Coordinates of all heavy atoms in Angstrom, one line a residue:
I49 N -8.8 -6.7 12.4 CA -7.8 -5.7 12.4 C -8.0 -4.8 13.7 O -7.1 -4.3 14.3 CB -7.8 -4.9 11.1 CG1 -7.1 -5.8 10.1 CG2 -7.1 -3.5 11.2 CD1 -7.1 -5.1 8.7
K53 N -5.3 -4.1 16.2 CA -4.7 -2.6 16.4 C -4.7 -2.3 18.0 O -3.7 -1.8 18.5 CB -5.6 -1.7 15.7 CG -5.3 -0.3 15.9 CD -6.3 0.7 15.1 CE -5.9 2.2 15.2 NZ -6.2 2.6 16.6
S59 N -1.2 3.4 16.5 CA -1.9 4.5 16.0 C -2.4 4.2 14.6 O -2.0 3.1 14.0 CB -1.1 5.8 16.1 OG -0.1 5.7 15.1
A60 N -3.2 5.1 14.0 CA -3.6 4.9 12.6 C -2.5 4.9 11.7 O -2.4 4.0 10.8 CB -4.6 5.9 12.2
S61 N -1.5 5.9 11.9 CA -0.3 5.8 11.0 C 0.6 4.6 11.2 O 1.1 4.0 10.3 CB 0.5 7.0 11.1 OG 0.9 7.2 12.5
L63 N -0.4 1.6 12.2 CA -1.2 0.5 11.6 C -1.0 0.5 10.1 O -0.7 -0.5 9.4 CB -2.6 0.6 11.9 CG -3.4 -0.5 11.3 CD1 -3.0 -1.9 11.9 CD2 -5.0 -0.4 11.8
G64 N -1.0 1.8 9.4 CA -0.8 1.9 8.1 C 0.5 1.4 7.7 O 0.7 0.7 6.6
L67 N 0.5 -2.4 7.8 CA -0.2 -3.0 6.7 C 0.7 -2.9 5.4 O 0.5 -3.6 4.5 CB -1.5 -2.2 6.5 CG -2.5 -2.4 7.5 CD1 -3.7 -1.5 7.4 CD2 -3.0 -3.9 7.6
G258 N -9.4 -2.8 -1.0 CA -8.5 -2.8 0.1 C -8.8 -1.8 1.2 O -8.7 -2.1 2.3
A259 N -9.3 -0.7 0.7 CA -9.6 0.3 1.7 C -10.8 -0.1 2.6 O -10.8 0.0 3.7 CB -9.9 1.7 1.0
L260 N -11.8 -0.7 1.9 CA -13.0 -1.1 2.6 C -12.7 -2.3 3.5 O -13.3 -2.5 4.6 CB -14.2 -1.4 1.6 CG -14.9 -0.2 1.2 CD1 -15.9 -0.5 0.1 CD2 -15.6 0.6 2.3
A261 N -11.9 -3.2 3.0 CA -11.5 -4.4 3.8 C -10.8 -4.0 5.0 O -11.1 -4.5 6.2 CB -10.6 -5.3 2.9
D262 N -9.8 -3.1 5.0 CA -9.0 -2.8 6.1 C -9.5 -1.6 7.0 O -9.2 -1.6 8.2 CB -7.5 -2.4 5.7 CG -6.8 -3.6 5.3 OD1 -7.3 -4.8 5.3 OD2 -5.6 -3.5 4.9
W263 N -10.3 -0.7 6.4 CA -10.7 0.4 7.2 C -12.2 0.6 7.4 O -12.7 1.5 8.1 CB -10.2 1.7 6.5 CG -8.7 1.8 6.5 CD1 -7.8 1.5 5.5 CD2 -7.9 2.2 7.8 NE1 -6.6 1.8 6.0 CE2 -6.6 2.1 7.3 CE3 -8.2 2.5 9.0 CZ2 -5.5 2.4 8.2 CZ3 -7.2 2.9 9.9 CH2 -5.9 2.8 9.6
G264 N -13.0 -0.2 6.6 CA -14.5 -0.1 6.6 C -15.0 -0.3 8.0 O -15.8 0.5 8.5
A265 N -14.6 -1.5 8.7 CA -15.1 -1.8 9.9 C -14.7 -0.7 11.0 O -15.4 -0.3 11.8 CB -14.5 -3.1 10.4
L266 N -13.5 -0.2 10.9 CA -13.0 0.8 11.8 C -13.8 2.1 11.6 O -14.1 2.8 12.6 CB -11.6 1.1 11.6 CG -10.7 1.8 12.7 CD1 -10.8 1.1 14.0 CD2 -9.3 2.1 12.3
H267 N -14.1 2.4 10.4 CA -14.9 3.7 10.1 C -16.3 3.6 10.8 O -16.8 4.5 11.4 CB -15.1 3.8 8.5 CG -16.0 4.9 8.1 ND1 -16.0 6.2 8.7 CD2 -17.1 4.8 7.3 CE1 -16.9 6.9 8.0 NE2 -17.8 6.1 7.4
L268 N -17.0 2.4 10.6 CA -18.3 2.2 11.2 C -18.3 2.3 12.7 O -19.1 2.9 13.3 CB -18.9 0.9 10.7 CG -19.2 0.9 9.2 CD1 -19.6 -0.6 8.8 CD2 -20.5 1.8 8.8
G378 N -3.4 0.8 -1.0 CA -4.4 1.7 -0.6 C -4.6 1.9 0.9 O -4.7 2.9 1.4
P379 N -4.7 0.7 1.7 CA -4.9 0.8 3.1 C -3.8 1.7 3.8 O -4.2 2.5 4.7 CB -4.8 -0.7 3.6 CG -5.4 -1.4 2.4 CD -4.8 -0.7 1.2
P380 N -2.5 1.5 3.6 CA -1.6 2.4 4.2 C -1.8 3.8 3.8 O -1.7 4.7 4.7 CB -0.2 1.9 3.7 CG -0.4 0.5 3.3 CD -1.9 0.4 2.9
I382 N -4.6 5.2 3.1 CA -5.8 5.7 3.9 C -5.4 6.0 5.3 O -5.9 6.9 5.9 CB -6.9 4.6 3.9 CG1 -7.4 4.4 2.5 CG2 -8.0 4.9 4.9 CD1 -8.3 5.5 2.0
G383 N -4.5 5.1 5.9 CA -4.1 5.4 7.2 C -3.4 6.8 7.4 O -3.7 7.5 8.3
F384 N -2.5 7.2 6.5 CA -1.8 8.4 6.6 C -2.8 9.6 6.3 O -2.7 10.6 7.1 CB -0.7 8.5 5.6 CG 0.5 7.6 5.9 CD1 0.8 6.6 5.0 CD2 1.3 7.8 7.0 CE1 2.0 5.8 5.3 CE2 2.3 7.1 7.4 CZ 2.7 6.0 6.5
A386 N -6.0 9.5 7.0 CA -6.8 9.6 8.2 C -6.1 10.4 9.3 O -6.8 11.1 10.1 CB -7.1 8.2 8.6
L391 N -10.6 9.9 8.8 CA -10.9 8.7 8.1 C -12.1 8.9 7.0 O -11.9 8.4 5.9 CB -11.3 7.6 9.0 CG -11.5 6.1 8.5 CD1 -10.3 5.7 7.6 CD2 -11.7 5.2 9.6
L395 N -11.5 8.2 3.0 CA -12.2 7.1 2.2 C -12.8 7.7 1.0 O -13.2 6.9 0.0 CB -13.4 6.5 3.1 CG -12.8 5.6 4.2 CD1 -14.0 5.1 5.1 CD2 -12.1 4.3 3.6

Side-chain angles (χ1 to χ4, degrees):
I49 285 178
K53 179 178 182 292
S59 66
S61 58
L63 180 61
L67 293 173
L260 280 175
D262 284 2
W263 293 102
L266 196 62
H267 168 56
L268 291 168
I382 294 289
F384 288 117
L391 185 52
L395 289 173

